[in-house]
Amino acid sequence: MSTDGFLAGARRALKRRWGFRRPPHAFVLTEDRLVHVALAREAETGRKATGPRVGSRALPPATFGPGPGGVPVAGPLLGQALSSLLQPKERVTAASLAVPDGFVKVATVDVEPGSTKSPRELAEVLRWKIGRLYGDPPPALRVSWCEAGAAPDGGTRLLVLGAPEETIASLEAAFASHGIRLGAIEPAALALSAVASEAIGGTGLVVFTDGPNVSTVFLEKGDVRFLRTREISADPEQALQEIRLAASFVGGTSAEGPGPEVAGNAVVVPESSPVSIRFGEFRREGGGADPASLVPALLAKGVPPRVEDPALLVGLGLLMGAE
């Protein structure tokens, strides 16, 4: 998602190539940390790049304050954490940022044939649709969308994403105070899916446990078709039912055989989370295979295979983006 229209980068988020059309700096904001993932260009170092450089800083409890729609707003302490992450003499002018999935609300909207030919009218309808998820009246929102396949009536299915303007502006301001422009902002699950896509051959489910939230992403031929986030990580059984509902929504469940939640390709992050473990058990109970490993994709990027930090994987996904 781009800050020039918020999540516009979702249109290309999963058709990425490893390279530097995006800046070689990614920051990942979690509930309690700010993580910096950077790659060195060979032209700058004079030698072959060996993999990502990672730094992390804990965020003080007062880093965020209450914000509209229940989404927090960043205060001055975020800028202090950012300052401590930047290496001496390191000049970062542009970067990408991943935010917790709970910062963004998502809706799947089917629009009639021809609706996309009137961008202004379409924007008004989609803003109203996503605004309903924030209550009445909704706060000012940063909204964007991407195509997510065909609607049953022959129209277009859109994936609509929105976050409070005040929240996004506070993040941009924290980075701008250090001379850094945020060229792309994405929910963590969307960024992670760029890495996971390689492990599942472009099509399948990505299940990401992000603090209290569980996000389910469905990819088809490298494109995002569905994204749902629910605050249910404390209840693996409920999370499993949400994953199955997501698989059913994207055309999975068939009376003739198991749906993609059992038979399709899948990736879970982190593998050690109770939700990931329960999902793996469910697949085996239904005769399916274990979720795919991210190790081959990580090794190809010079990342040690025993990485247990999801924030690094999210950061790598941001770096794979092609603007």
Side-chain angles (χ1 to χ4, degrees):
M1 63 183 75
S2 169
T3 58
D4 301 328
F6 189 41
L7 301 178
R11 298 181 180 91
R12 301 177 301 279
L14 302 175
K15 285 189 173 180
R16 297 174 173 170
R17 298 295 182 267
W18 190 249
F20 294 98
R21 284 188 249 176
R22 274 193 183 185
H25 295 275
F27 291 88
V28 181
L29 187 65
T30 75
E31 285 195 312
D32 55 7
R33 292 185 301 151
L34 181 64
V35 180
H36 179 207
V37 183
L39 294 175
R41 302 174 191 249
E42 291 184 27
E44 293 177 349
T45 62
R47 60 183 183 275
K48 184 177 180 179
T50 58
R53 172 168 52 83
V54 184
S56 177
R57 293 293 182 273
L59 296 176
T63 299
F64 289 93
V71 182
V73 173
L77 291 178
L78 178 60
Q80 294 179 23
L82 173 60
S83 179
S84 68
L85 263 178
L86 299 175
Q87 293 190 355
K89 299 182 180 180
E90 183 176 36
R91 186 169 181 266
V92 180
T93 59
S96 304
L97 175 69
V99 298
D101 292 342
F103 280 33
V104 180
K105 290 189 183 297
V106 184
T108 302
V109 180
D110 292 344
V111 296
E112 297 177 353
S115 297
T116 57
K117 295 181 180 179
S118 178
R120 179 174 296 181
E121 292 182 9
L122 178 63
E124 291 178 358
V125 170
L126 298 182
R127 187 175 297 277
W128 176 76
K129 290 277 190 180
I130 198 73
R132 294 173 62 189
L133 299 180
Y134 285 93
D136 189 19
L141 297 174
R142 194 83 67 93
V143 177
S144 193
W145 58 91
C146 62
E147 292 190 9
D153 63 356
T156 302
R157 175 163 290 169
L158 300 176
L159 190 70
V160 188
L161 303 97
E165 173 65 34
E166 186 177 351
T167 296
I168 300 302
S170 73
L171 299 174
E172 291 173 330
F175 282 82
S177 67
H178 289 79
I180 303 173
R181 179 184 181 275
L182 293 178
I185 299 178
E186 296 179 9
L190 189 61
L192 172 70
S193 294
V195 176
S197 179
E198 296 185 358
I200 58 177
T203 300
L205 291 170
V206 181
V207 179
F208 177 45
T209 304
D210 182 23
N213 297 302
V214 177
S215 294
T216 304
V217 185
F218 183 77
L219 310 179
E220 184 179 38
K221 297 180 180 179
D223 291 323
V224 59
R225 295 300 189 214
F226 184 81
L227 168 61
R228 185 204 301 271
T229 297
R230 294 289 186 269
E231 192 174 335
I232 50 174
S233 68
D235 188 339
E237 289 298 330
Q238 184 181 357
L240 175 61
Q241 294 308 311
E242 285 289 339
I243 296 167
R244 297 181 67 187
L245 282 172
S248 176
F249 178 83
V250 296
T253 305
S254 168
E256 299 179 359
E261 73 275 25
V262 173
N265 297 323
V267 164
V268 293
V269 175
E271 294 182 359
S272 58
S273 79
V275 173
S276 297
I277 293 171
R278 180 65 189 101
F279 180 57
E281 293 172 346
F282 171 76
R283 284 174 63 91
R284 290 189 291 273
E285 290 165 1
D290 286 331
S293 172
L294 290 177
V295 169
L298 296 178
L299 287 175
K301 295 165 179 53
V303 181
R306 297 303 300 173
V307 169
E308 297 293 337
D309 186 0
L312 171 58
L313 303 178
V314 172
L316 290 174
L318 286 176
L319 292 171
M320 292 176 69
E323 284 286 282

